[in-house]
Every structure is written in structure tokens, then in C-alpha cells.
Amino acid sequence: MSKQGLIDNGADVYIYQQRATTQSVAVGIDNTDDKFKIATRSSIGIDPSSTYQFSIDGSANGDMEFVPLGSGTVDVTQLTVRPDTAVDSTITFQTTTPQSFIIGIDRGADTLQLAADTSLTALNDIFLMYSQGFRTMRQHACMNAYVSANVPNVLGGAAPAGGQLDMPADTVVFDQNGNYANPFFTAPVTGIYFFAGVGTVYNLSAASTVYVLNFNDAGIATGGHTFSIRPIAARNGVTGELTLSGGGMFFRRTAGQTFTFRFVVGYGSMTVGIGGDAAMFKSGMTGGLFV
Amino acid sequence: MGKQGFRDTESDIYVSQAITGGSTAAVGIDDTDGKFKIAVDAAASTTPSSTAQFSIDPSANGDIVLVPNGSGTVDATNVTVRPDGATDAFVQFETTTPENYRIGIDRSDSNKWKISHGTSLGTNDYFVMTTDGNRTMPLQSCFLAYVSSIPNVTGDGTTYGPIIFSSEAFDQNGDYDPVTGIFTAPVTGKYILATFVDLGRSLVAGMTDMTIDIVTTARTYRIGSINGSACANSNNSDVGLSGCVIADMSNGETAYVQCRVAGGAKSIDVFDSHFSGGLFV
């Protein structure tokens, strides 16, 4: 039962209220787009077709808009996103760039997800929090690659540098964000990166008296040796291989700078090889963006 | 001073507006629940008792509910969560599953920014950012286990593993088993795994074959392969090797450390060694 009703066909239908000559409000339907609107101004003579602060579009799923003027904000004491139906519970951030980020609960998995997108879909998350408290970031720069077969006669050259070769890690176990191209990892953003490497050499001779696995930082003076030893004595007496690990280090990298590991076996002749194996990671590098 | 008012005790009290053939809006009080409502529909004959898009509940702290129809959205240029009282400022996500997460400022805990599971900040905190920029994740899978001595495990070519690091310094989420020496991935992700293994202290001539591996379900990572006796510390006749990898592990897959020394008797011990790891990304 309506206490009051207004019908028009060709003009805005609204209630207009005015306080003295300084403020006014118009509440009603904008005939130009059929949206229900509330418009308030510090002036008089407005209608729903004026710049409005609140609208409901009855023809578009009841979409609502809050449009503060200028740098205004919509204040809430607390905000709960609670769909009545079996859908994701989300908030979307959008700019005119355009760029969108969406955060909320992926109802199918009951995980809290962040995605650079306008909806939560399978595998588009960049930050995922499981209901047990684990966090993964499937797009975060992180890689693992190793040498899948022996690379012969590449080390053991003349002093002082000797034969040297960047880690020829040809088999990629994973490369989140796609920053690895044999033999270099390229920093996608400026940050602190963590890297660890393993190096295996074989066919060592007594003439080769230096074995170094460097952090090859492309000329940036931050790296150090992971180890530097006389290889012939240390090699495995049965396999003839020498495998040692770099324990892992943090590096600062500017976006676009590269990183890899570099083998150096000095002295003797170029008869020393880098050990690789399709089934075992015994020469390779792993790393990723830490913070 | 009101210019116009309605009063009723038995039915909706509202103003209804319509454009012929277009939208209808009803603004007023729904008599069935006492809420002030705005209902807009593309059809005619809308009342506050119809599906409302906006409502204020005077009996529940003035709660405001915005309910777009179906897959509709609520648009705002920016939204600020700004409580007037001494309470947390938060956004809460809920589903009909039901499942709840809360994101916001925990006022009672140094104003830290948190992601918490459930309906309160301070309970089941999963992601905590301090105001000076340090982030912790109290339930992220992460462990450090160690052992002081395991006697006579190899030396004769025996591959000993999993090495049982029987003491835990910490084990967030309880994914490492100090009885079996096995870490089990709780979710699919990339895990940092690191170990230091000291073998001795009776490395003797002939024990030239020494290897240490981190073994995951997917592959084996060789940490070291050396001539044990040639590299032995002259003081303790032992060798310690360390290594670290970032490994891909699916939910339920395992990781452990193994070692092997050949060329002598089964007299080689594991000493003062450790195994650590955690979910990286």
C-alpha cells in the first residue's frame, strides 16, 4: 500500500528538499538512465540528473554506486562482504589505467586470494592464503634449473682465470614468472633475491688446482665464492666427480640485472667437464625474490 | 522540523516513484522487519518489502546492508574503514560455505595489519605486518630439526636415510616428523630445503666415496660428492657439507636427507647436523 506515489513519463521523478538557500537534496529516478539516485549539493536547484552521490540501477542487477564529490570518501565503521548465494566474496580495486586487483574468498577452495584481475578464477591468484594458514604466491619470481647431461671439455684452462663457464642449466624444473633463460636469471623487479647453487665437475687432473663456483653477478661487485679448493684431492674416489653446494646467499638486484653461477677450473688443459644428470640435480641453480 | 511525515503501525510506509514503462523505486520502512529500505526494480509495483538494495536496521546497531541483485556490484571511488570507537578497522569476507577471513588493523596489538582466519583479528592470525614494515606468518610451514649423534650408520656403502634429526628447534604447522626424519609438504608450492651433515669421526683411508643428498618425491638433489678421507678434518676425522635448494613439492610429497660413505667399515656417525625448510612461495 503506497502512501504516496509519483508517475511521470518523460521527466525525472523525484522529491526535492531545500534548506534555506545553501543546501538541497534530490531523491528519485533519473529519467535519462532510469537509475534511482540521491544527489546532495551545497547549492539549490538540483535534480537526480545532477551529479549524484548514490545510485541504484534497477535494470543492472541492482548495481549501486557511491560517488563522493572530489576527493571524498565513503566511510564505514566496518565492512562485511557477505553474498547470500554460493558465490565468491570479493572486493575489487580498479583504476582508469586500467588495472584491477581483486581480493576475497574463492568459495570453491575456501582460500583467501588476491589476483590482478576482475574475478577469482583457477590459477590466476598472485597471493593465496589457505584456511590452514599457509601462503603461496604462484606468480612470484622463483626458479629451479639444472644440467641434464655432462658438458665435456669446458673447464681447466690456462691460469689465472682458467676455463670458465656459466651454469649451463638446460632443464627447467619450474620458472615462476618466466625470468630464467639459460644461463641467466633476470630480476623482474628491484629487490632482495635468494640463490643457491650446486656444482659438479669431473675428469679432473692434477694439473687443475683451482675449482671455484662463483656467484656471477654480471659485473656487480656483490658476489663471493661459494668454495675454492684444490679439486683433484677432494674428488670422489669412485666416481671421479666433485660435487659441492653453495649454501645460499641473498643479493640485491635492480630490475633487469642478471644472475647466474659460474664454474672456474684453473690450470691444466680444457679437459674438465661439468657434471649433469637427467635424473639427479647435481649441477644447477635455484632462487627467487625474497623481499 | 519535518515538512511531511507518515505514521502507520500495520503496513509499509513509503514513497513510491515510477516512470511509466521504466524503473520503480520505493523508499520507506518495511513493516515486516522495521528496517528502512530502498528498493529499486526494473518492473513496477516495488515496495520496501520487495527485494531491497539498501537497508538500515535500527534494532541492530544501525547496520547498513547493501544487496545488489544477483551478480550486481557496489561501486565506490574509495572506501575508508574508520570506526568511531576504540575498535578494529577491518573488512570481513564471508561465504555461505561458511568460511570467514578478516583483514584489517588489530588495534589491541600495536595496530598491526593482519589477515586472520575467522571473525576476529588476534585469533588465528595468518599474516601480520607491523607498522614499521616487518611481516611474519605464524602458521606458515617452517621447521628446523637437528641431531647431535647417530652412530655407525654408514661407511660400508650403506645409504643411510632418512637421517633422523630427532630434535626440533621449531616446527610451525608440524610438518616435520622427528621420528622418521621426513618433512611432508602440507600444500603444493616451492619449498626451501637446507641441510648441514657432518660425517665422521672415523673417516679413514679408503673412504673415498662420500655423498650427501636431499631427496624429494620428485627428484634427488646432490648436495655433495667428495673424497671423504682426503677431505677429512685432521682433528676429528670428519667432514661437514652443507647445501640448499628451492624445490617444487606437491601437497603430500616428502623430503628428507640421506648420506653414504663407502670404502670401509660401517663405523661412520652423523654428528651435530641439521635439516631445515619451509614453504617459500
Short mmCIF file of all heavy atoms in Angstrom, two decimals, chain A residues 226-260:
data_model
loop_
_atom_site.label_atom_id
_atom_site.label_comp_id
_atom_site.label_asym_id
_atom_site.label_seq_id
_atom_site.Cartn_x
_atom_site.Cartn_y
_atom_site.Cartn_z
N THR A 226 81.50 -19.51 -3.47
CA THR A 226 80.85 -20.46 -2.59
C THR A 226 81.88 -21.43 -2.04
O THR A 226 81.76 -21.91 -0.93
CB THR A 226 79.77 -21.25 -3.35
OG1 THR A 226 80.38 -21.88 -4.48
CG2 THR A 226 78.68 -20.33 -3.80
N PHE A 227 82.89 -21.73 -2.85
CA PHE A 227 84.00 -22.51 -2.34
C PHE A 227 85.17 -22.35 -3.31
O PHE A 227 85.01 -21.98 -4.46
CB PHE A 227 83.65 -23.98 -2.16
CG PHE A 227 82.94 -24.58 -3.34
CD1 PHE A 227 83.63 -25.02 -4.44
CD2 PHE A 227 81.56 -24.69 -3.33
CE1 PHE A 227 82.97 -25.57 -5.52
CE2 PHE A 227 80.90 -25.23 -4.41
CZ PHE A 227 81.59 -25.67 -5.50
N SER A 228 86.33 -22.63 -2.87
CA SER A 228 87.53 -22.52 -3.71
C SER A 228 88.53 -23.52 -3.16
O SER A 228 89.06 -23.35 -2.07
CB SER A 228 88.10 -21.10 -3.65
OG SER A 228 89.27 -21.03 -4.44
N ILE A 229 88.79 -24.57 -3.92
CA ILE A 229 89.58 -25.66 -3.39
C ILE A 229 90.50 -26.25 -4.45
O ILE A 229 90.38 -25.95 -5.64
CB ILE A 229 88.68 -26.80 -2.86
CG1 ILE A 229 87.83 -27.34 -4.02
CG2 ILE A 229 87.83 -26.33 -1.72
CD1 ILE A 229 87.06 -28.56 -3.66
N ARG A 230 91.39 -27.12 -4.04
CA ARG A 230 92.17 -27.94 -4.97
C ARG A 230 91.32 -29.17 -5.30
O ARG A 230 91.09 -30.02 -4.44
CB ARG A 230 93.50 -28.37 -4.34
CG ARG A 230 94.54 -27.28 -4.34
CD ARG A 230 95.82 -27.77 -3.70
NE ARG A 230 96.87 -26.78 -3.83
CZ ARG A 230 97.72 -26.74 -4.86
NH1 ARG A 230 97.62 -27.63 -5.83
NH2 ARG A 230 98.66 -25.81 -4.92
N PRO A 231 90.86 -29.31 -6.50
CA PRO A 231 89.83 -30.31 -6.79
C PRO A 231 90.32 -31.75 -6.83
O PRO A 231 89.58 -32.66 -6.47
CB PRO A 231 89.32 -29.87 -8.16
CG PRO A 231 90.43 -29.11 -8.77
CD PRO A 231 91.12 -28.41 -7.64
N ILE A 232 91.53 -31.98 -7.28
CA ILE A 232 91.93 -33.36 -7.51
C ILE A 232 91.91 -34.18 -6.25
O ILE A 232 91.50 -35.34 -6.23
CB ILE A 232 93.32 -33.42 -8.20
CG1 ILE A 232 93.65 -34.83 -8.62
CG2 ILE A 232 94.39 -32.83 -7.28
CD1 ILE A 232 92.78 -35.34 -9.73
N ALA A 233 92.30 -33.56 -5.15
CA ALA A 233 92.34 -34.31 -3.90
C ALA A 233 90.96 -34.54 -3.32
O ALA A 233 90.71 -35.54 -2.65
CB ALA A 233 93.21 -33.57 -2.88
N ALA A 234 90.07 -33.62 -3.61
CA ALA A 234 88.76 -33.67 -2.97
C ALA A 234 87.76 -34.51 -3.74
O ALA A 234 86.71 -34.87 -3.20
CB ALA A 234 88.21 -32.26 -2.81
N ARG A 235 88.05 -34.82 -4.97
CA ARG A 235 87.05 -35.52 -5.79
C ARG A 235 86.70 -36.88 -5.19
O ARG A 235 87.52 -37.51 -4.51
CB ARG A 235 87.54 -35.68 -7.22
CG ARG A 235 88.71 -36.65 -7.33
CD ARG A 235 89.16 -36.82 -8.76
NE ARG A 235 90.31 -37.71 -8.80
CZ ARG A 235 90.89 -38.09 -9.93
NH1 ARG A 235 90.46 -37.63 -11.09
NH2 ARG A 235 91.92 -38.92 -9.91
N ASN A 236 85.50 -37.31 -5.51
CA ASN A 236 85.05 -38.63 -5.07
C ASN A 236 85.95 -39.69 -5.70
O ASN A 236 86.15 -39.70 -6.92
CB ASN A 236 83.59 -38.83 -5.52
CG ASN A 236 82.99 -40.11 -4.98
OD1 ASN A 236 83.50 -41.19 -5.23
ND2 ASN A 236 81.91 -39.97 -4.22
N GLY A 237 86.49 -40.55 -4.86
CA GLY A 237 87.46 -41.51 -5.33
C GLY A 237 86.89 -42.58 -6.23
O GLY A 237 87.62 -43.25 -6.95
N VAL A 238 85.59 -42.78 -6.20
CA VAL A 238 84.97 -43.82 -7.01
C VAL A 238 84.42 -43.24 -8.32
O VAL A 238 84.70 -43.73 -9.40
CB VAL A 238 83.85 -44.52 -6.22
CG1 VAL A 238 83.09 -45.49 -7.12
CG2 VAL A 238 84.45 -45.24 -5.02
N THR A 239 83.64 -42.17 -8.21
CA THR A 239 83.01 -41.61 -9.42
C THR A 239 83.94 -40.65 -10.15
O THR A 239 83.72 -40.36 -11.32
CB THR A 239 81.73 -40.85 -9.04
OG1 THR A 239 82.09 -39.72 -8.24
CG2 THR A 239 80.77 -41.75 -8.27
N GLY A 240 84.93 -40.14 -9.44
CA GLY A 240 85.81 -39.14 -10.05
C GLY A 240 85.18 -37.76 -10.12
O GLY A 240 85.78 -36.82 -10.64
N GLU A 241 83.98 -37.63 -9.60
CA GLU A 241 83.30 -36.34 -9.62
C GLU A 241 83.56 -35.58 -8.31
O GLU A 241 83.82 -36.17 -7.26
CB GLU A 241 81.79 -36.53 -9.80
CG GLU A 241 81.39 -37.10 -11.14
CD GLU A 241 79.89 -37.19 -11.28
OE1 GLU A 241 79.18 -37.18 -10.24
OE2 GLU A 241 79.42 -37.28 -12.43
N LEU A 242 83.44 -34.30 -8.41
CA LEU A 242 83.48 -33.46 -7.23
C LEU A 242 82.22 -32.59 -7.23
O LEU A 242 82.01 -31.79 -8.14
CB LEU A 242 84.72 -32.57 -7.24
CG LEU A 242 84.81 -31.53 -6.13
CD1 LEU A 242 84.78 -32.18 -4.75
CD2 LEU A 242 86.08 -30.69 -6.28
N THR A 243 81.40 -32.79 -6.23
CA THR A 243 80.15 -32.02 -6.11
C THR A 243 80.17 -31.25 -4.80
O THR A 243 80.36 -31.83 -3.73
CB THR A 243 78.91 -32.94 -6.12
OG1 THR A 243 78.91 -33.71 -7.31
CG2 THR A 243 77.63 -32.11 -6.03
N LEU A 244 79.95 -29.94 -4.90
CA LEU A 244 79.85 -29.11 -3.71
C LEU A 244 78.71 -28.11 -3.91
O LEU A 244 78.41 -27.71 -5.04
CB LEU A 244 81.16 -28.36 -3.45
CG LEU A 244 82.34 -29.23 -3.00
CD1 LEU A 244 83.61 -28.40 -2.98
CD2 LEU A 244 82.07 -29.83 -1.62
N SER A 245 78.12 -27.73 -2.79
CA SER A 245 76.97 -26.82 -2.84
C SER A 245 77.35 -25.45 -2.32
O SER A 245 78.15 -25.32 -1.38
CB SER A 245 75.82 -27.35 -1.97
OG SER A 245 75.34 -28.56 -2.48
N GLY A 246 76.76 -24.45 -2.95
CA GLY A 246 76.78 -23.12 -2.37
C GLY A 246 75.63 -23.04 -1.39
O GLY A 246 74.50 -23.40 -1.73
N GLY A 247 75.90 -22.64 -0.20
CA GLY A 247 74.88 -22.71 0.85
C GLY A 247 73.72 -21.76 0.65
O GLY A 247 72.70 -21.87 1.31
N GLY A 248 73.84 -20.81 -0.26
CA GLY A 248 72.75 -19.85 -0.47
C GLY A 248 73.12 -18.48 0.03
O GLY A 248 73.74 -18.34 1.09
N MET A 249 72.80 -17.48 -0.74
CA MET A 249 73.10 -16.10 -0.36
C MET A 249 71.97 -15.19 -0.83
O MET A 249 71.23 -15.51 -1.75
CB MET A 249 74.41 -15.62 -1.01
CG MET A 249 75.66 -16.15 -0.34
SD MET A 249 77.14 -15.47 -1.11
CE MET A 249 77.00 -13.75 -0.65
N PHE A 250 71.91 -14.03 -0.19
CA PHE A 250 70.96 -13.00 -0.61
C PHE A 250 71.70 -11.96 -1.44
O PHE A 250 72.85 -11.61 -1.16
CB PHE A 250 70.33 -12.32 0.60
CG PHE A 250 69.41 -13.22 1.37
CD1 PHE A 250 69.81 -13.76 2.58
CD2 PHE A 250 68.16 -13.54 0.87
CE1 PHE A 250 68.96 -14.61 3.28
CE2 PHE A 250 67.32 -14.38 1.57
CZ PHE A 250 67.71 -14.92 2.78
N PHE A 251 71.04 -11.48 -2.46
CA PHE A 251 71.60 -10.46 -3.35
C PHE A 251 70.57 -9.37 -3.60
O PHE A 251 69.38 -9.66 -3.74
CB PHE A 251 71.97 -11.07 -4.72
CG PHE A 251 73.05 -12.10 -4.65
CD1 PHE A 251 72.74 -13.41 -4.36
CD2 PHE A 251 74.37 -11.74 -4.85
CE1 PHE A 251 73.74 -14.37 -4.29
CE2 PHE A 251 75.37 -12.70 -4.78
CZ PHE A 251 75.06 -14.01 -4.50
N ARG A 252 71.06 -8.16 -3.68
CA ARG A 252 70.18 -7.08 -4.11
C ARG A 252 70.29 -6.95 -5.61
O ARG A 252 71.39 -6.92 -6.16
CB ARG A 252 70.56 -5.75 -3.44
CG ARG A 252 69.69 -4.58 -3.94
CD ARG A 252 70.04 -3.28 -3.25
NE ARG A 252 69.66 -3.30 -1.84
CZ ARG A 252 68.43 -3.10 -1.39
NH1 ARG A 252 67.46 -2.85 -2.24
NH2 ARG A 252 68.16 -3.13 -0.12
N ARG A 253 69.18 -6.91 -6.27
CA ARG A 253 69.17 -6.78 -7.72
C ARG A 253 68.19 -5.68 -8.13
O ARG A 253 67.08 -5.60 -7.59
CB ARG A 253 68.74 -8.08 -8.39
CG ARG A 253 69.85 -9.11 -8.49
CD ARG A 253 70.90 -8.64 -9.50
NE ARG A 253 72.01 -9.55 -9.57
CZ ARG A 253 73.08 -9.51 -8.77
NH1 ARG A 253 73.14 -8.60 -7.83
NH2 ARG A 253 74.06 -10.36 -8.91
N THR A 254 68.65 -4.85 -9.07
CA THR A 254 67.75 -3.88 -9.68
C THR A 254 67.05 -4.56 -10.85
O THR A 254 67.62 -5.45 -11.49
CB THR A 254 68.56 -2.67 -10.17
OG1 THR A 254 69.24 -2.09 -9.05
CG2 THR A 254 67.66 -1.63 -10.82
N ALA A 255 65.86 -4.16 -11.13
CA ALA A 255 65.10 -4.76 -12.23
C ALA A 255 65.93 -4.77 -13.50
O ALA A 255 66.52 -3.75 -13.90
CB ALA A 255 63.81 -3.98 -12.46
N GLY A 256 66.02 -5.93 -14.13
CA GLY A 256 66.77 -6.06 -15.37
C GLY A 256 68.17 -6.61 -15.18
O GLY A 256 68.79 -7.08 -16.15
N GLN A 257 68.70 -6.57 -13.98
CA GLN A 257 70.03 -7.13 -13.74
C GLN A 257 69.95 -8.65 -13.71
O GLN A 257 68.92 -9.22 -13.37
CB GLN A 257 70.61 -6.59 -12.42
CG GLN A 257 70.97 -5.12 -12.50
CD GLN A 257 71.60 -4.60 -11.22
OE1 GLN A 257 71.33 -5.11 -10.14
NE2 GLN A 257 72.42 -3.59 -11.33
N THR A 258 71.06 -9.28 -14.04
CA THR A 258 71.05 -10.73 -14.20
C THR A 258 71.85 -11.42 -13.11
O THR A 258 72.61 -10.79 -12.36
CB THR A 258 71.63 -11.14 -15.56
OG1 THR A 258 72.98 -10.66 -15.65
CG2 THR A 258 70.82 -10.56 -16.69
N PHE A 259 71.69 -12.73 -13.08
CA PHE A 259 72.39 -13.54 -12.09
C PHE A 259 72.54 -14.95 -12.63
O PHE A 259 71.65 -15.50 -13.27
CB PHE A 259 71.60 -13.58 -10.78
CG PHE A 259 72.27 -14.41 -9.73
CD1 PHE A 259 73.17 -13.84 -8.86
CD2 PHE A 259 72.03 -15.77 -9.66
CE1 PHE A 259 73.82 -14.62 -7.91
CE2 PHE A 259 72.68 -16.55 -8.71
CZ PHE A 259 73.57 -15.97 -7.85
N THR A 260 73.71 -15.56 -12.35
CA THR A 260 73.90 -16.97 -12.58
C THR A 260 75.08 -17.44 -11.72
O THR A 260 75.65 -16.66 -10.96
CB THR A 260 74.14 -17.30 -14.07
OG1 THR A 260 74.10 -18.72 -14.24
CG2 THR A 260 75.49 -16.77 -14.53
#
